[in-house]
Short mmCIF file of all heavy atoms in Angstrom, two decimals:
data_model
loop_
_atom_site.label_atom_id
_atom_site.label_comp_id
_atom_site.label_asym_id
_atom_site.label_seq_id
_atom_site.Cartn_x
_atom_site.Cartn_y
_atom_site.Cartn_z
N MET E 1 0.86 -1.16 -0.01
CA MET E 1 0.02 0.00 0.02
C MET E 1 0.86 1.25 0.03
O MET E 1 1.85 1.33 0.75
CB MET E 1 -0.90 -0.02 1.23
CG MET E 1 -1.89 1.08 1.28
SD MET E 1 -3.19 0.68 2.49
CE MET E 1 -3.13 2.19 3.44
N PRO E 2 0.58 2.24 -0.86
CA PRO E 2 1.41 3.44 -0.92
C PRO E 2 1.38 4.24 0.38
O PRO E 2 0.34 4.25 1.07
CB PRO E 2 0.78 4.27 -2.04
CG PRO E 2 -0.26 3.41 -2.68
CD PRO E 2 -0.49 2.25 -1.81
N ARG E 3 2.49 4.87 0.68
CA ARG E 3 2.52 5.73 1.90
C ARG E 3 1.67 6.94 1.66
O ARG E 3 1.57 7.46 0.56
CB ARG E 3 3.93 6.15 2.15
CG ARG E 3 4.74 5.10 2.79
CD ARG E 3 6.11 5.62 3.14
NE ARG E 3 6.04 6.57 4.23
CZ ARG E 3 7.08 7.27 4.65
NH1 ARG E 3 8.23 7.13 4.08
NH2 ARG E 3 6.88 8.10 5.66
N LYS E 4 1.04 7.42 2.71
CA LYS E 4 0.23 8.63 2.61
C LYS E 4 1.14 9.82 2.87
O LYS E 4 2.08 9.74 3.67
CB LYS E 4 -0.91 8.59 3.61
CG LYS E 4 -1.92 7.55 3.30
CD LYS E 4 -3.10 7.61 4.25
CE LYS E 4 -4.15 6.61 3.88
NZ LYS E 4 -5.32 6.64 4.75
N CYS E 5 0.82 10.89 2.25
CA CYS E 5 1.55 12.14 2.42
C CYS E 5 0.90 12.99 3.49
O CYS E 5 -0.34 13.08 3.48
CB CYS E 5 1.61 12.87 1.07
SG CYS E 5 2.50 14.42 1.16
N ILE E 6 1.65 13.59 4.31
CA ILE E 6 1.07 14.46 5.39
C ILE E 6 1.20 15.91 4.90
O ILE E 6 2.25 16.34 4.45
CB ILE E 6 1.87 14.28 6.72
CG1 ILE E 6 1.65 12.86 7.23
CG2 ILE E 6 1.41 15.29 7.72
CD1 ILE E 6 2.53 12.50 8.42
N VAL E 7 0.10 16.59 5.02
CA VAL E 7 0.03 18.01 4.60
C VAL E 7 -0.49 18.82 5.79
O VAL E 7 -1.50 18.44 6.42
CB VAL E 7 -0.95 18.21 3.40
CG1 VAL E 7 -1.07 19.66 3.03
CG2 VAL E 7 -0.46 17.35 2.24
N LYS E 8 0.21 19.89 6.11
CA LYS E 8 -0.28 20.80 7.13
C LYS E 8 -1.08 21.93 6.54
O LYS E 8 -0.69 22.42 5.47
CB LYS E 8 0.93 21.37 7.93
CG LYS E 8 1.66 20.29 8.72
CD LYS E 8 2.74 20.94 9.53
CE LYS E 8 3.47 19.88 10.35
NZ LYS E 8 4.53 20.51 11.20
N VAL E 9 -2.15 22.29 7.17
CA VAL E 9 -3.00 23.35 6.66
C VAL E 9 -3.17 24.41 7.72
O VAL E 9 -3.41 24.10 8.88
CB VAL E 9 -4.40 22.76 6.29
CG1 VAL E 9 -5.34 23.86 5.79
CG2 VAL E 9 -4.27 21.67 5.30
N VAL E 10 -3.06 25.66 7.30
CA VAL E 10 -3.29 26.78 8.23
C VAL E 10 -4.65 27.36 7.92
O VAL E 10 -4.91 27.73 6.80
CB VAL E 10 -2.19 27.86 8.07
CG1 VAL E 10 -2.45 29.05 8.99
CG2 VAL E 10 -0.80 27.28 8.32
N LEU E 11 -5.48 27.43 8.91
CA LEU E 11 -6.86 27.92 8.75
C LEU E 11 -7.07 29.11 9.66
O LEU E 11 -6.56 29.20 10.78
CB LEU E 11 -7.90 26.85 9.14
CG LEU E 11 -7.83 25.56 8.37
CD1 LEU E 11 -8.83 24.54 8.97
CD2 LEU E 11 -8.16 25.74 6.89
N SER E 12 -7.92 30.04 9.20
CA SER E 12 -8.34 31.15 10.01
C SER E 12 -9.29 30.59 11.06
O SER E 12 -9.78 29.45 10.95
CB SER E 12 -9.03 32.25 9.19
OG SER E 12 -10.30 31.72 8.70
N LYS E 13 -9.58 31.39 12.05
CA LYS E 13 -10.57 30.96 13.11
C LYS E 13 -11.89 30.61 12.50
O LYS E 13 -12.48 29.62 12.83
CB LYS E 13 -10.72 32.13 14.11
CG LYS E 13 -11.63 31.74 15.26
CD LYS E 13 -11.80 32.86 16.23
CE LYS E 13 -12.79 32.53 17.30
NZ LYS E 13 -13.10 33.68 18.15
N GLU E 14 -12.36 31.43 11.54
CA GLU E 14 -13.66 31.23 10.88
C GLU E 14 -13.63 29.89 10.08
O GLU E 14 -14.57 29.16 10.10
CB GLU E 14 -14.03 32.40 10.00
CG GLU E 14 -14.29 33.69 10.77
CD GLU E 14 -13.02 34.43 11.17
OE1 GLU E 14 -11.94 34.05 10.67
OE2 GLU E 14 -13.18 35.38 11.99
N GLN E 15 -12.53 29.68 9.36
CA GLN E 15 -12.42 28.46 8.56
C GLN E 15 -12.43 27.23 9.45
O GLN E 15 -13.04 26.21 9.15
CB GLN E 15 -11.16 28.52 7.67
CG GLN E 15 -11.23 29.49 6.55
CD GLN E 15 -9.85 29.71 5.91
OE1 GLN E 15 -8.82 29.59 6.57
NE2 GLN E 15 -9.89 30.00 4.58
N ARG E 16 -11.73 27.34 10.61
CA ARG E 16 -11.66 26.23 11.53
C ARG E 16 -13.08 25.89 12.09
O ARG E 16 -13.46 24.75 12.25
CB ARG E 16 -10.70 26.52 12.67
CG ARG E 16 -10.59 25.51 13.74
CD ARG E 16 -10.13 24.19 13.14
NE ARG E 16 -10.24 23.08 14.06
CZ ARG E 16 -9.26 22.46 14.61
NH1 ARG E 16 -8.04 22.84 14.34
NH2 ARG E 16 -9.46 21.49 15.43
N GLU E 17 -13.85 26.97 12.35
CA GLU E 17 -15.24 26.75 12.83
C GLU E 17 -16.05 26.04 11.81
O GLU E 17 -16.85 25.14 12.15
CB GLU E 17 -15.82 28.08 13.24
CG GLU E 17 -15.28 28.71 14.48
CD GLU E 17 -15.76 30.12 14.75
OE1 GLU E 17 -16.67 30.60 14.03
OE2 GLU E 17 -15.28 30.75 15.68
N ILE E 18 -15.91 26.43 10.59
CA ILE E 18 -16.60 25.83 9.46
C ILE E 18 -16.20 24.32 9.31
O ILE E 18 -17.07 23.44 9.21
CB ILE E 18 -16.41 26.57 8.14
CG1 ILE E 18 -17.07 27.92 8.22
CG2 ILE E 18 -16.96 25.76 6.97
CD1 ILE E 18 -16.72 28.83 7.08
N LEU E 19 -14.93 24.09 9.41
CA LEU E 19 -14.45 22.70 9.32
C LEU E 19 -14.97 21.88 10.46
O LEU E 19 -15.43 20.75 10.24
CB LEU E 19 -12.88 22.66 9.31
CG LEU E 19 -12.26 21.30 9.33
CD1 LEU E 19 -12.66 20.51 8.11
CD2 LEU E 19 -10.73 21.46 9.41
N ASP E 20 -14.90 22.41 11.66
CA ASP E 20 -15.45 21.69 12.85
C ASP E 20 -16.93 21.33 12.66
O ASP E 20 -17.37 20.19 12.91
CB ASP E 20 -15.27 22.50 14.09
CG ASP E 20 -13.82 22.57 14.56
OD1 ASP E 20 -13.00 21.70 14.11
OD2 ASP E 20 -13.54 23.46 15.38
N GLU E 21 -17.72 22.28 12.18
CA GLU E 21 -19.15 22.08 11.99
C GLU E 21 -19.42 21.06 10.89
O GLU E 21 -20.27 20.20 11.04
CB GLU E 21 -19.86 23.42 11.70
CG GLU E 21 -21.33 23.30 11.57
CD GLU E 21 -22.04 22.84 12.84
OE1 GLU E 21 -21.46 23.00 13.94
OE2 GLU E 21 -23.18 22.34 12.71
N LEU E 22 -18.72 21.19 9.79
CA LEU E 22 -18.89 20.17 8.69
C LEU E 22 -18.55 18.78 9.13
O LEU E 22 -19.31 17.85 8.89
CB LEU E 22 -17.95 20.54 7.52
CG LEU E 22 -18.49 21.59 6.55
CD1 LEU E 22 -17.37 21.92 5.51
CD2 LEU E 22 -19.68 21.06 5.79
N ALA E 23 -17.44 18.67 9.84
CA ALA E 23 -17.01 17.36 10.30
C ALA E 23 -18.04 16.78 11.29
O ALA E 23 -18.39 15.57 11.24
CB ALA E 23 -15.65 17.44 10.98
N ARG E 24 -18.58 17.62 12.15
CA ARG E 24 -19.57 17.17 13.14
C ARG E 24 -20.84 16.69 12.37
O ARG E 24 -21.38 15.62 12.65
CB ARG E 24 -19.95 18.26 14.08
CG ARG E 24 -20.88 17.84 15.18
CD ARG E 24 -21.33 19.00 16.07
NE ARG E 24 -22.19 19.91 15.30
CZ ARG E 24 -23.47 19.71 14.99
NH1 ARG E 24 -24.06 18.57 15.28
NH2 ARG E 24 -24.16 20.61 14.32
N ARG E 25 -21.30 17.52 11.43
CA ARG E 25 -22.54 17.16 10.69
C ARG E 25 -22.37 15.89 9.83
O ARG E 25 -23.28 15.12 9.68
CB ARG E 25 -22.97 18.34 9.78
CG ARG E 25 -23.54 19.45 10.54
CD ARG E 25 -24.03 20.52 9.59
NE ARG E 25 -24.47 21.73 10.30
CZ ARG E 25 -25.17 22.71 9.77
NH1 ARG E 25 -25.50 22.62 8.47
NH2 ARG E 25 -25.52 23.73 10.45
N LEU E 26 -21.16 15.73 9.30
CA LEU E 26 -20.90 14.56 8.46
C LEU E 26 -20.55 13.33 9.26
O LEU E 26 -20.52 12.22 8.76
CB LEU E 26 -19.79 14.87 7.42
CG LEU E 26 -20.10 15.91 6.40
CD1 LEU E 26 -18.87 16.29 5.63
CD2 LEU E 26 -21.16 15.41 5.43
N GLY E 27 -20.21 13.56 10.52
CA GLY E 27 -19.75 12.41 11.35
C GLY E 27 -18.42 11.88 10.97
O GLY E 27 -18.18 10.69 11.09
N THR E 28 -17.56 12.76 10.44
CA THR E 28 -16.24 12.32 9.99
C THR E 28 -15.16 13.10 10.74
O THR E 28 -15.43 14.07 11.37
CB THR E 28 -16.05 12.50 8.47
OG1 THR E 28 -16.20 13.91 8.17
CG2 THR E 28 -17.05 11.73 7.68
N SER E 29 -13.93 12.70 10.55
CA SER E 29 -12.82 13.44 11.13
C SER E 29 -12.56 14.69 10.29
O SER E 29 -13.03 14.88 9.18
CB SER E 29 -11.53 12.56 11.13
OG SER E 29 -11.11 12.35 9.79
N GLU E 30 -11.76 15.60 10.86
CA GLU E 30 -11.44 16.83 10.14
C GLU E 30 -10.62 16.46 8.91
O GLU E 30 -10.84 17.05 7.84
CB GLU E 30 -10.62 17.75 11.05
CG GLU E 30 -11.44 18.31 12.19
CD GLU E 30 -10.60 18.97 13.25
OE1 GLU E 30 -9.32 18.93 13.18
OE2 GLU E 30 -11.17 19.55 14.20
N SER E 31 -9.74 15.51 9.02
CA SER E 31 -8.91 15.10 7.88
C SER E 31 -9.78 14.54 6.75
O SER E 31 -9.62 14.94 5.56
CB SER E 31 -7.90 14.03 8.28
OG SER E 31 -6.96 14.56 9.17
N GLU E 32 -10.68 13.69 7.09
CA GLU E 32 -11.60 13.13 6.06
C GLU E 32 -12.49 14.19 5.41
O GLU E 32 -12.69 14.17 4.25
CB GLU E 32 -12.47 12.03 6.67
CG GLU E 32 -13.39 11.33 5.67
CD GLU E 32 -12.64 10.66 4.55
OE1 GLU E 32 -11.43 10.28 4.71
OE2 GLU E 32 -13.29 10.42 3.49
N THR E 33 -12.92 15.14 6.22
CA THR E 33 -13.77 16.23 5.75
C THR E 33 -12.97 17.10 4.72
O THR E 33 -13.46 17.43 3.64
CB THR E 33 -14.26 17.12 6.88
OG1 THR E 33 -14.98 16.31 7.77
CG2 THR E 33 -15.14 18.24 6.38
N LEU E 34 -11.68 17.38 5.04
CA LEU E 34 -10.85 18.15 4.11
C LEU E 34 -10.56 17.33 2.85
O LEU E 34 -10.61 17.91 1.73
CB LEU E 34 -9.51 18.53 4.79
CG LEU E 34 -9.63 19.67 5.78
CD1 LEU E 34 -8.32 19.83 6.53
CD2 LEU E 34 -9.99 20.95 5.10
N ARG E 35 -10.32 16.00 2.95
CA ARG E 35 -10.11 15.22 1.79
C ARG E 35 -11.34 15.19 0.87
O ARG E 35 -11.22 15.31 -0.35
CB ARG E 35 -9.74 13.77 2.16
CG ARG E 35 -8.35 13.61 2.55
CD ARG E 35 -7.95 12.11 2.70
NE ARG E 35 -8.65 11.45 3.78
CZ ARG E 35 -8.23 11.37 5.05
NH1 ARG E 35 -7.14 12.00 5.37
NH2 ARG E 35 -8.94 10.72 5.97
N MET E 36 -12.53 15.05 1.46
CA MET E 36 -13.80 15.04 0.71
C MET E 36 -13.95 16.35 -0.05
O MET E 36 -14.31 16.40 -1.19
CB MET E 36 -14.95 14.73 1.57
CG MET E 36 -14.96 13.28 2.02
SD MET E 36 -16.49 12.76 2.88
CE MET E 36 -16.74 14.02 4.09
N ALA E 37 -13.68 17.47 0.66
CA ALA E 37 -13.90 18.80 0.09
C ALA E 37 -12.91 19.02 -1.05
O ALA E 37 -13.28 19.54 -2.12
CB ALA E 37 -13.64 19.86 1.18
N LEU E 38 -11.66 18.57 -0.90
CA LEU E 38 -10.68 18.66 -1.98
C LEU E 38 -11.11 17.88 -3.21
O LEU E 38 -11.06 18.40 -4.33
CB LEU E 38 -9.30 18.19 -1.48
CG LEU E 38 -8.23 18.11 -2.56
CD1 LEU E 38 -7.83 19.48 -3.03
CD2 LEU E 38 -7.05 17.37 -1.98
N MET E 39 -11.50 16.63 -2.99
CA MET E 39 -11.89 15.83 -4.13
C MET E 39 -13.19 16.35 -4.79
O MET E 39 -13.28 16.34 -6.03
CB MET E 39 -12.11 14.38 -3.72
CG MET E 39 -10.81 13.70 -3.28
SD MET E 39 -9.48 13.83 -4.45
CE MET E 39 -10.13 12.93 -5.83
N ASP E 40 -14.15 16.90 -4.01
CA ASP E 40 -15.36 17.44 -4.64
C ASP E 40 -14.95 18.66 -5.47
O ASP E 40 -15.51 18.83 -6.60
CB ASP E 40 -16.34 17.87 -3.56
CG ASP E 40 -17.06 16.71 -2.91
OD1 ASP E 40 -16.99 15.58 -3.46
OD2 ASP E 40 -17.70 16.91 -1.87
N TYR E 41 -14.03 19.49 -5.03
CA TYR E 41 -13.64 20.68 -5.76
C TYR E 41 -12.85 20.23 -7.03
O TYR E 41 -13.10 20.78 -8.14
CB TYR E 41 -12.80 21.57 -4.91
CG TYR E 41 -12.46 22.88 -5.53
CD1 TYR E 41 -13.45 23.75 -5.97
CD2 TYR E 41 -11.12 23.29 -5.67
CE1 TYR E 41 -13.17 24.96 -6.58
CE2 TYR E 41 -10.82 24.54 -6.26
CZ TYR E 41 -11.82 25.32 -6.74
OH TYR E 41 -11.52 26.54 -7.29
N ALA E 42 -12.03 19.28 -6.88
CA ALA E 42 -11.25 18.73 -8.07
C ALA E 42 -12.23 18.21 -9.14
O ALA E 42 -12.03 18.41 -10.35
CB ALA E 42 -10.28 17.67 -7.64
N LYS E 43 -13.26 17.47 -8.70
CA LYS E 43 -14.24 16.91 -9.64
C LYS E 43 -14.97 18.08 -10.33
O LYS E 43 -15.27 17.98 -11.52
CB LYS E 43 -15.26 16.03 -8.92
CG LYS E 43 -14.68 14.68 -8.52
CD LYS E 43 -15.67 13.90 -7.73
CE LYS E 43 -15.04 12.69 -7.07
NZ LYS E 43 -15.98 12.00 -6.17
N GLU E 44 -15.33 19.09 -9.57
CA GLU E 44 -16.06 20.26 -10.14
C GLU E 44 -15.23 20.93 -11.24
O GLU E 44 -15.78 21.39 -12.22
CB GLU E 44 -16.37 21.27 -9.00
CG GLU E 44 -17.28 22.35 -9.42
CD GLU E 44 -17.62 23.29 -8.26
OE1 GLU E 44 -17.98 22.74 -7.20
OE2 GLU E 44 -17.42 24.49 -8.34
N LEU E 45 -13.92 20.94 -11.06
CA LEU E 45 -13.00 21.54 -12.07
C LEU E 45 -12.63 20.56 -13.17
O LEU E 45 -11.79 20.85 -13.99
CB LEU E 45 -11.77 22.09 -11.39
CG LEU E 45 -11.97 23.16 -10.40
CD1 LEU E 45 -10.63 23.54 -9.74
CD2 LEU E 45 -12.57 24.41 -11.06
N SER E 46 -13.19 19.33 -13.12
CA SER E 46 -12.83 18.27 -14.04
C SER E 46 -11.36 17.85 -13.97
O SER E 46 -10.79 17.27 -14.87
CB SER E 46 -13.17 18.63 -15.49
OG SER E 46 -14.54 18.94 -15.60
N LEU E 47 -10.76 18.20 -12.86
CA LEU E 47 -9.31 17.87 -12.66
C LEU E 47 -9.08 16.38 -12.52
O LEU E 47 -8.09 15.86 -13.01
CB LEU E 47 -8.78 18.66 -11.43
CG LEU E 47 -7.30 18.59 -11.22
CD1 LEU E 47 -6.50 19.09 -12.38
CD2 LEU E 47 -6.95 19.43 -9.97
N VAL E 48 -10.01 15.70 -11.86
CA VAL E 48 -9.87 14.29 -11.66
C VAL E 48 -9.78 13.56 -13.00
O VAL E 48 -8.89 12.76 -13.25
CB VAL E 48 -11.02 13.71 -10.76
CG1 VAL E 48 -10.95 12.21 -10.70
CG2 VAL E 48 -10.97 14.33 -9.39
N MET E 49 -10.73 13.85 -13.92
CA MET E 49 -10.70 13.23 -15.18
C MET E 49 -9.46 13.57 -16.00
O MET E 49 -8.89 12.75 -16.68
CB MET E 49 -11.97 13.61 -16.01
CG MET E 49 -13.27 13.02 -15.41
SD MET E 49 -13.20 11.22 -15.22
CE MET E 49 -13.06 10.70 -16.94
N GLU E 50 -9.00 14.81 -15.88
CA GLU E 50 -7.84 15.25 -16.62
C GLU E 50 -6.59 14.42 -16.16
O GLU E 50 -5.81 13.96 -17.00
CB GLU E 50 -7.59 16.72 -16.33
CG GLU E 50 -6.41 17.32 -17.07
CD GLU E 50 -6.24 18.80 -16.72
OE1 GLU E 50 -7.26 19.53 -16.65
OE2 GLU E 50 -5.11 19.18 -16.54
N ILE E 51 -6.46 14.19 -14.87
CA ILE E 51 -5.30 13.45 -14.37
C ILE E 51 -5.40 11.97 -14.79
O ILE E 51 -4.44 11.38 -15.16
CB ILE E 51 -5.25 13.64 -12.80
CG1 ILE E 51 -4.78 15.03 -12.54
CG2 ILE E 51 -4.26 12.60 -12.21
CD1 ILE E 51 -4.85 15.42 -11.06
N ILE E 52 -6.64 11.44 -14.72
CA ILE E 52 -6.82 10.03 -15.16
C ILE E 52 -6.44 9.89 -16.62
O ILE E 52 -5.78 8.91 -17.00
CB ILE E 52 -8.25 9.57 -14.90
CG1 ILE E 52 -8.49 9.47 -13.41
CG2 ILE E 52 -8.57 8.27 -15.58
CD1 ILE E 52 -9.96 9.24 -13.00
N GLN E 53 -6.89 10.85 -17.47
CA GLN E 53 -6.54 10.79 -18.88
C GLN E 53 -5.01 10.86 -19.08
O GLN E 53 -4.49 10.18 -19.98
CB GLN E 53 -7.27 11.90 -19.63
CG GLN E 53 -8.77 11.76 -19.71
CD GLN E 53 -9.18 10.50 -20.44
OE1 GLN E 53 -8.55 10.08 -21.40
NE2 GLN E 53 -10.26 9.91 -20.01
N ARG E 54 -4.34 11.72 -18.35
CA ARG E 54 -2.90 11.87 -18.47
C ARG E 54 -2.18 10.57 -18.11
O ARG E 54 -1.22 10.21 -18.79
CB ARG E 54 -2.43 12.92 -17.48
CG ARG E 54 -1.96 14.18 -18.22
CD ARG E 54 -1.29 15.11 -17.23
NE ARG E 54 -2.20 16.18 -16.84
CZ ARG E 54 -2.18 16.86 -15.75
NH1 ARG E 54 -1.19 16.63 -14.92
NH2 ARG E 54 -3.02 17.82 -15.50
N LYS E 55 -2.67 9.86 -17.15
CA LYS E 55 -2.06 8.60 -16.70
C LYS E 55 -2.23 7.51 -17.76
O LYS E 55 -1.45 6.62 -17.80
CB LYS E 55 -2.56 8.16 -15.36
CG LYS E 55 -2.07 8.99 -14.26
CD LYS E 55 -2.47 8.48 -12.88
CE LYS E 55 -1.89 9.30 -11.76
NZ LYS E 55 -2.07 8.73 -10.49
N LYS E 56 -3.28 7.57 -18.52
CA LYS E 56 -3.52 6.56 -19.54
C LYS E 56 -2.55 6.67 -20.72
O LYS E 56 -2.35 5.75 -21.46
CB LYS E 56 -5.00 6.64 -20.03
CG LYS E 56 -6.01 6.15 -19.13
CD LYS E 56 -7.39 6.22 -19.70
CE LYS E 56 -8.42 5.66 -18.74
NZ LYS E 56 -9.79 5.75 -19.37
N LEU E 57 -2.03 7.87 -20.93
CA LEU E 57 -1.13 8.14 -22.05
C LEU E 57 0.18 7.55 -21.77
O LEU E 57 0.94 7.05 -21.49
CB LEU E 57 -0.98 9.60 -22.32
CG LEU E 57 -2.28 10.32 -22.68
CD1 LEU E 57 -1.99 11.84 -22.81
CD2 LEU E 57 -2.82 9.81 -24.02
#
């Protein structure tokens, strides 16, 4: 299994409150909430498909 990369994130007080509330409502950890938000945004930008297509070449 590939090693996971650790990323540190600096959030404002307001952003932290939003993250805490999202994680609570979703019943997930803060890390999982951030991962889901990142992937949702990447999908919205079609970045996920672009990277998959690049790997096929």
Side-chain angles (χ1 to χ4, degrees):
M1 186 164 127
R3 283 183 70 186
K4 292 185 178 182
C5 180
I6 296 173
V7 177
K8 292 184 180 184
V9 179
V10 178
L11 301 173
S12 69
K13 182 181 176 189
E14 293 81 10
Q15 291 168 327
R16 179 60 191 250
E17 290 173 6
I18 292 169
L19 176 59
D20 288 342
E21 182 63 20
L22 275 174
R24 186 188 66 74
R25 287 185 186 193
L26 294 170
T28 61
S29 68
E30 294 168 354
S31 295
E32 182 62 21
T33 302
L34 284 172
R35 280 191 294 272
M36 289 188 310
L38 173 68
M39 293 309 295
D40 286 348
Y41 188 55
K43 287 177 193 173
E44 189 175 310
L45 296 176
S46 301
L47 187 57
V48 173
M49 292 305 297
E50 182 180 319
I51 290 172
I52 291 171
Q53 292 297 326
R54 251 190 259 157
K55 287 187 177 187
K56 287 183 179 178
L57 299 176

